[in-house]
Amino acid sequence: MNVSVPEGELPEAVTAGDPVPSAQAEPEPAHDPAAPAPLNVPRVPTGDAGVDAGLGRLADADHLATDGHLEVYEDVHRGLRDALTALDVRPGAPAPGGRPAVAPQ
């Protein structure tokens, strides 16, 4: 619906000396969803130096724009995967073989 006011006439609520509210309102700063925003997630030490370093690395994402998070997450994931893999390879443990050896009869 388009209501027009004849030229020279103003609605009763607005007089010639009154400022127009929308013209004087300052524009709000645009919200940038990709801007850095700390998540403030507490990181509790695990006691494993490699895992704790990875968790500490997650703090770097707090200071990056969203498009920079992927690199940090991939780096941390790689480090955690390596730490888990290292648990399977303990010093002195026998290497996994295909089939157990059969004693001669």
Side-chain angles (χ1 to χ4, degrees), residues 1-21:
M1 180 171 160
N2 186 1
V3 177
S4 61
V5 177
E7 196 172 319
E9 292 183 29
L10 295 174
E12 290 178 28
V14 178
T15 60
D18 290 344
V20 177

Side-chain angles (χ1 to χ4, degrees), residues 28-91:
E28 292 184 28
H31 175 69
D32 182 5
L39 297 176
N40 298 319
V41 175
R43 293 169 188 88
V44 180
T46 65
D48 183 285
V51 173
D52 290 341
L55 292 176
R57 172 90 166 99
L58 287 174
D60 294 344
D62 287 348
H63 309 288
L64 298 172
T66 305
D67 57 356
H69 289 190
L70 182 61
E71 181 180 340
V72 172
Y73 294 154
E74 286 179 344
D75 183 42
V76 171
H77 181 257
R78 188 172 26 260
L80 293 174
R81 187 178 55 231
D82 291 347
L84 287 172
T85 302
L87 293 175
D88 290 337
V89 184
R90 295 183 183 172

